[in-house]
Amino acid sequence: MAESASRKGVGLTTAIVGVGNIGGALARHLVAGGESVVLASKDGSRAEALADELGPLAHAASVEDAIAGADAVVFALWLDTIKELIPQYARLLEDKVVIDPSNPVAFDENGQVMRTLPERQSASSVVATLLPAGAHYVKAFGTLGADALAKGAYREPRRAVLFYATDDDAAATTIERLIRAAGFDPLKAGGVADAGRIEAPGGDLHQFGLNGELVDLDQARAAVAAEPPV
Ligand SMILES: NC(=O)c1ccc[n+]([C@@H]2O[C@H](COP(=O)([O-])OP(=O)(O)OC[C@H]3O[C@@H](n4cnc5c(N)ncnc54)[C@H](OP(=O)(O)O)[C@@H]3O)[C@@H](O)[C@H]2O)c1
């Protein structure tokens, strides 16, 4: 990723792979914040329809072309799909910021949400290890329920926080830009080893671990500083 791409006003293209609840809300927020997005989805039609709706800052492409042409890639997909796709496109992810909003959940046959990884294993720890060495990995954009993400941008009088977790400085700079463009305040919760704190279920810094609340920067800093529950 070019160093210059981290500053607002300097060209940065963000691919959003998956335009469902999370990817769709994110695409709307980023375009409203002046960012260029390339949208991709499984059969392409949802990505094309959303790109048409969002105007000249949004384009639709195949998953491969979206990743190839982007500086940052958001995998707004279920964890099992991310695990399938990253190995397929690994060579295209070298030197890109890879943004992962996934939680370790799936639906069982009764439509109930169930955890898909052991209690103390984060989705982040799984996704990060699939990436090529040159990718810049960050966990972000999955710390609120999709409805809160869609409705919480540009909150007044104080913006709501979106936490992120990364070990990578370039990824941190880019995600802070994108979180601000999306209408939220960014706050680092820690490194990849801490990412479970911002995942659900169980993360104390996920919206669902904060009694469903959206927190401002002061509240978020206090929550990060508090010891995570054992
Ligand atoms: N929903 C929430 O409240 C929430 C909150 C926090 C985090 N998350 C996390 O965010 C992630 C996405 O959740 P979501 O609720 O946004 O999911 P979703 O609404 O079901 O959307 C999934 C998207 O993935 C696309 N997709 C599926 N297989 C694909 C493939 N092989 N190639 C390209 N695209 C593919 C689908 O494409 P089509 O449109 O063509 O079907 C769809 O656009 C999950 O990991 C979830 O844990 C969700």
Side-chain angles (χ1 to χ4, degrees):
M1 190 196 62
E3 192 64 30
S4 58
S6 303
R7 285 184 285 116
K8 172 105 178 134
V10 175
L12 176 78
T13 298
T14 302
I16 303 178
V17 182
V19 291
N21 298 306
I22 294 294
L26 194 54
R28 290 173 198 282
H29 288 334
L30 290 180
V31 166
E35 296 289 344
S36 293
V37 297
V38 185
L39 308 177
S41 61
K42 188 169 188 177
D43 74 12
S45 60
R46 260 169 115 183
E48 280 169 25
L50 185 57
D52 285 350
E53 179 194 326
L54 294 180
L57 283 175
H59 300 277
S62 66
V63 174
E64 181 166 359
D65 288 349
I67 295 173
D71 305 290
V73 182
V74 185
F75 283 103
L77 307 165
W78 293 94
L79 178 58
D80 282 351
T81 311
I82 296 176
K83 282 159 63 180
E84 276 170 35
L85 287 201
I86 285 184
Q88 281 179 47
Y89 297 107
R91 81 189 154 77
L92 297 177
L93 293 170
E94 283 286 356
D95 208 28
K96 308 217 163 169
V97 173
V98 175
I99 303 164
D100 162 28
S102 68
N103 286 314
V105 294
F107 293 102
D108 68 16
E109 63 275 11
N110 301 315
Q112 300 297 309
V113 174
M114 58 169 201
R115 189 175 176 88
T116 55
L117 293 174
E119 276 302 322
R120 304 205 67 78
Q121 186 179 17
S122 67
S124 202
S125 68
V126 173
V127 176
T129 54
L130 295 172
L131 292 169
H136 302 279
Y137 174 79
V138 56
K139 179 101 212 173
F141 288 133
T143 59
L144 302 180
D147 198 45
L149 179 69
K151 293 180 180 157
Y154 294 100
R155 194 179 68 161
E156 296 286 352
R158 303 205 67 195
R159 284 197 189 183
V161 160
L162 294 184
F163 294 104
Y164 67 91
T166 187
D167 298 323
D168 185 296
D169 290 344
T173 306
T174 297
I175 199 65
E176 293 221 351
R177 165 177 168 162
L178 293 177
I179 288 173
R180 285 200 180 90
F184 294 85
D185 277 339
L187 186 66
K188 184 171 176 175
V192 173
D194 306 298
R197 293 188 71 187
I198 63 173
E199 293 183 3
D204 63 311
L205 301 176
H206 190 279
Q207 182 191 5
F208 301 155
L210 293 164
N211 298 321
E213 302 290 327
L214 278 65
V215 291
D216 67 23
L217 210 41
D218 292 338
Q219 293 167 322
R221 286 194 180 111
V224 170
E227 284 294 306
V230 182

